Amino acid sequence: MTSSPSPVPSKGVSANGDPLRVVFCWSEINGYMAACFRELAGRADVDPFFIALASGRSSGTEAAFADDVVAGLPCRLLEPEQLDDEALVRELVAERRPDVVVLNGWRYRAYRRLPYGEPLRTEEHGGPPGFMMTFDTPWQGTLRQRIARFRLTDYLNRCAITVVTGERSWQYGVRLGIPQARLRRGMYGVDHAGLSECLQRREESEWPRRFLFAGRYADVKGLDVLAEAYARYRDGVARDGAGEPWALECCGTGPRGDLIAGREGIEDRGFVQPADMRDRFAAAGALVLPSRFDPWPLVLVESAAAGLPILCTEACGSSVELLRPHYNGLAVPPDDAPALARGLRFLHDRHAELPEYGRRSNGLAAAYSTSIWADRYTAYLREAHAGSPPRR
């Protein structure tokens, strides 16, 4: 699938005065990255092209995004077997004669092999491109991660710039041996301007008395803990005569939907397309994310941009950047249903304060807007273009 954005005037940043030609080798393009990529494609000084896995084909994905998620993007979507074809991927990248190639981590061998072998661009067209790599994996100190430093050294050294999500993945980058001078933060962004409308809609009437969970219905997301905590919360509210318990709306799909099926007060909406999630954000009073492991959950960032107070576990990597306890929400330990239940009650009892919590969330999320993301990436791409390590 290939589509092109509207033409834009060129002011040129590459060596020959043309816009910087960039190929992004990505995994799957979801709603938030499509918004970021669309913003970048509209810039005059960058000419991007996106190669990615077709929606719903990645491991662990239970539902596909609608085709219009990538509408207007200059892209080529691949089936899994095509993404395993190193020659095909190399040809797709080389035919764009890129100034910079952006590699999404090290999971896909076809992407990982691009910095090796014959140059992707001839001297006639400016010489080999620079490489920029991104990843969102947090440091956990596992044996596998410790070994990765030695396994990935050569690959990492071929990338002029490495962009991570936030503090936890930055710590992993340092432990991988990436010099701090080549590490950058800010891998992801969200449509802050569009999501801010949810806050405006919510403030036009009484703040909703509803909790929202959005994510995969999988053990790693802690749905069993959420179900137990929510039941404890309902019992506590009834016992204390603290008004009506709030409903819990769940948006997602996956193998563990049985954990919330038929539970009193829980509404299961199933998988919701990105375009429809704004209505769910606007109808909610707070986000609840009980994950056991979540490298840098974007739903937390989107919810903050939508002006929602946040209740999540310390396992949620993006909470480091987007959550301030007793300022715009609360963080609790993972796998602790009583603590999560107390967090639900904390929000319930502070209903009058939640609009201010929501405005604070919205402010914290402004740093991850698509416009700031595009500014950030343009600067990083220029660095990668100018400072690519020599090829061996």
Side-chain angles (χ1 to χ4, degrees):
M1 174 179 180
T2 305
S3 56
S4 300
S6 301
V8 291
S10 171
K11 63 183 181 182
V13 296
S14 66
N16 60 8
D18 294 327
L20 201 65
R21 295 173 65 86
V22 182
V23 175
F24 282 77
C25 297
W26 215 251
S27 52
E28 186 176 72
I29 301 177
N30 43 35
Y32 56 82
M33 285 314 300
C36 291
F37 290 159
R38 200 167 284 114
E39 175 73 21
L40 188 67
R43 298 293 177 97
D45 48 358
V46 181
D47 177 16
F49 186 79
F50 307 96
I51 299 173
L53 189 63
S55 178
R57 309 309 200 274
S58 62
S59 175
T61 300
E62 290 85 15
F65 294 104
D67 290 341
D68 61 3
V69 167
V70 296
L73 285 178
C75 64
R76 171 69 183 269
L77 302 182
L78 304 178
E79 297 297 324
E81 60 273 15
Q82 293 177 305
L83 195 52
D84 289 336
D85 188 335
E86 294 182 33
L88 171 63
V89 171
R90 192 171 196 85
E91 179 183 356
L92 291 173
V93 175
E95 69 184 15
R96 299 290 301 178
R97 300 197 305 274
D99 297 302
V100 181
V101 179
V102 181
L103 304 168
N104 189 207
W106 49 81
R107 175 180 178 184
Y108 299 107
R109 178 178 171 83
Y111 290 168
R112 204 170 63 243
R113 296 301 303 169
L114 289 171
Y116 300 87
E118 291 298 316
L120 293 167
R121 196 174 64 165
T122 65
E123 292 297 332
E124 177 186 356
H125 296 107
F131 286 90
M132 187 168 97
M133 197 262 288
T134 69
F135 73 88
D136 63 3
T137 310
W139 171 249
Q140 295 178 284
T142 63
L143 178 60
R144 182 175 182 177
Q145 286 190 330
R146 294 178 188 279
I147 293 174
R149 172 169 185 165
F150 306 99
R151 182 171 60 89
L152 297 171
T153 295
D154 188 59
Y155 172 65
L156 298 175
N157 284 340
R158 291 170 183 259
C159 299
I161 297 294
T162 295
V163 186
V164 299
T165 48
E167 179 61 24
R168 291 182 180 174
S169 52
W170 188 90
Q171 292 292 341
Y172 188 19
V174 169
R175 287 167 172 80
L176 281 170
I178 303 172
Q180 294 185 28
R182 290 178 14 216
L183 270 176
R184 303 289 183 271
R185 293 178 174 88
M187 177 181 172
Y188 294 136
V190 299
D191 183 7
H192 186 271
L195 289 164
S196 293
E197 296 176 3
C198 300
L199 174 61
Q200 297 168 11
R201 289 167 58 183
R202 203 179 300 111
E203 289 184 319
E204 291 173 356
S205 58
E206 184 182 20
W207 196 266
R209 299 173 188 267
R210 295 174 64 83
F211 299 115
L212 172 68
F213 166 84
R216 288 182 294 118
Y217 293 171
D219 289 332
V220 72
K221 293 292 185 177
L223 252 66
D224 54 336
V225 179
L226 177 60
E228 181 184 344
Y230 181 67
R232 286 172 176 262
Y233 154 77
R234 289 182 64 90
D235 290 344
V237 168
R239 182 181 63 249
D240 299 340
E244 290 294 321
W246 299 5
L248 169 61
E249 180 176 313
C250 295
C251 299
T253 187
R256 298 315 311 270
D258 60 297
L259 294 170
I260 57 173
R263 295 271 188 161
E264 185 178 7
I266 298 181
E267 304 170 9
D268 180 6
R269 285 190 172 270
F271 180 73
V272 179
Q273 292 289 349
D276 300 321
M277 272 304 299
R278 290 185 188 177
D279 288 338
R280 307 324 327 140
F281 288 137
L287 176 81
V288 184
L289 198 59
S291 305
R292 291 185 167 94
F293 175 72
D294 228 334
W296 211 79
L298 263 295
V299 69
L300 192 156
V301 190
E302 290 180 305
S303 297
L308 283 174
I310 306 295
L311 170 62
C312 69
T313 63
E314 297 284 1
C316 297
S318 49
S319 67
V320 176
E321 284 75 33
L322 275 300
L323 177 64
R324 302 292 177 266
H326 293 263
Y327 179 76
N328 69 315
L330 204 63
V332 299
D335 270 318
D336 191 334
L340 188 63
R342 290 192 295 271
L344 295 170
R345 182 62 182 270
F346 173 89
L347 295 171
H348 177 106
D349 291 342
R350 287 161 180 77
H351 179 259
E353 301 173 37
L354 297 190
E356 182 60 29
Y357 273 41
R359 287 187 285 271
R360 292 167 179 168
S361 284
N362 179 262
L364 288 168
Y368 300 92
S369 69
T370 53
S371 61
I372 297 298
W373 181 91
D375 290 344
R376 187 181 293 137
Y377 262 63
T378 299
Y380 296 165
L381 290 167
R382 288 174 178 171
E383 290 185 272
H385 179 48
S388 180
R391 301 291 175 264
R392 295 195 292 275

